[in-house]
Amino acid sequence: MDLGLADRTVLVTGGSSGVGLATVRALLDEGARVATCGRDADRLAKAAARLGSDRLLTGVCDVRDASEVRDFVRYTVDTFGGLDGLVNNAGQSRMKSLDESTAEDWRDELELKFAGVLNPLHAARPHLAASDAASIVNVNAVLAKQPETRLITTSAARAGILNLSKSLATELAPEGIRVNSVCLGLVDTGQWTRRHAAAGSGLSYEDWQAELAADRGIALGRLGRAEEVAYAIVALLSPRASYITGTSIDVCGGVGRSIL
């Protein structure tokens, strides 16, 4: 199926690895022009070299810095002539309980999560409003719906972003901008291979992953793959999803227990 993304321009934050990189690759495969940013210049350069596309634009940018975000959005629009989609993917998880979390942890987590959506939104909004198929996808997590006490600051921040996304869908609909969320579960990225190595369990990675999946209650019995999340993101960006806004899709192997 042609998703209608050929020659469309999409900006993806945090696109140098993991889900962000998989999303950039999937968009390029659909014929889109893609701009992606991250804080690590070396990782961005390596990702760009692996992808090897003349439809890819990269830049160093911290989503917490509104001026850097504005500059990168302007660079994207000047280079590609417009903007049709935005994927707010930059972020990280903070593995701390309530007693371990400091006031600074709470401030940092809330700043990163909300600035990571609001700074790109404010910079991109007038350009998206000029598109005939504008779409924003906020990459979130099932933690937003079913909190995890071991990730208490991240869970709270992600719940706020899910609420914000719903509000944005209503606020931006008159401008023709759709806003949706993709809520992921445990995805097999570099952090899990590092944790497997650090665990020293003696199990193969596959067996260790299966044990982890059982412990976390993942119905499909394994971690997800970055490209599986990217598929949902790209589908929501597509003009074929033109009547979908204000919703969230769980890509979590069945770990999600919320019915909302």
Side-chain angles (χ1 to χ4, degrees):
M1 176 184 291
D2 180 2
L3 294 179
L5 289 166
D7 299 322
R8 297 283 184 180
T9 298
V10 181
L11 191 155
V12 181
T13 65
S16 61
S17 62
V19 169
L21 179 58
T23 301
V24 170
R25 180 180 289 110
L27 286 166
L28 291 172
D29 288 345
E30 291 294 326
R33 297 181 291 256
V34 185
T36 192
C37 60
R39 290 183 291 173
D40 190 319
D42 289 339
R43 290 175 69 181
L44 277 171
K46 289 176 182 176
R50 287 198 300 272
L51 294 168
S53 173
D54 60 2
R55 288 180 282 106
L56 176 64
L57 184 70
T58 65
V60 176
C61 176
D62 186 336
V63 293
R64 294 171 296 188
D65 188 318
S67 63
E68 288 188 9
V69 175
R70 284 195 301 270
D71 288 345
F72 187 65
V73 170
R74 188 179 304 114
Y75 179 38
T76 299
V77 172
D78 288 347
T79 302
F80 290 138
L83 189 61
D84 302 290
L86 171 64
V87 180
N88 290 315
N89 171 70
Q92 61 187 13
S93 294
R94 192 178 297 265
M95 184 71 77
K96 286 190 176 183
S97 67
L98 174 63
D99 291 337
E100 294 168 330
S101 301
T102 65
E104 185 178 3
D105 289 329
W106 283 99
R107 283 194 301 270
D108 287 348
E109 190 68 2
L110 291 168
E111 179 188 16
L112 175 59
K113 295 298 185 291
F114 281 88
V117 170
L118 292 172
N119 285 340
L121 165 65
H122 290 318
R125 183 176 178 178
H127 308 290
L128 291 171
S131 170
D132 63 353
S135 177
I136 297 173
V137 177
N138 294 325
V139 179
N140 208 321
V142 291
L143 295 174
K145 303 176 183 179
Q146 50 190 52
E148 166 59 70
T149 57
R150 290 170 289 187
L151 292 142
I152 194 165
T153 61
T154 298
S155 294
R158 289 201 177 281
I161 291 300
L162 191 61
N163 187 291
L164 173 63
S165 298
K166 194 79 168 181
S167 296
L168 292 176
T170 301
E171 291 287 325
L172 300 179
E175 300 173 34
I177 303 172
R178 298 183 296 109
V179 184
N180 293 291
S181 300
V182 170
C183 294
L184 52 88
L186 274 66
V187 177
D188 188 4
T189 58
Q191 64 172 322
W192 292 108
T193 54
R194 290 191 294 271
R195 290 181 187 181
H196 168 251
S201 65
L203 296 173
S204 68
Y205 183 57
E206 290 71 22
D207 290 342
W208 180 85
Q209 185 182 144
E211 279 197 356
L212 176 65
D215 177 66
R216 299 297 178 90
I218 302 173
L220 292 183
R222 62 173 176 84
L223 304 186
R225 298 186 298 273
E227 59 268 24
E228 292 175 312
V229 183
Y231 172 79
I233 295 170
V234 172
L236 288 172
L237 289 169
S238 168
R240 289 186 176 274
S242 57
Y243 202 53
I244 301 175
T245 195
T247 194
S248 65
I249 296 178
D250 291 352
V251 185
C252 61
V255 74
R257 295 181 295 279
S258 170
I259 61 172
L260 300 177

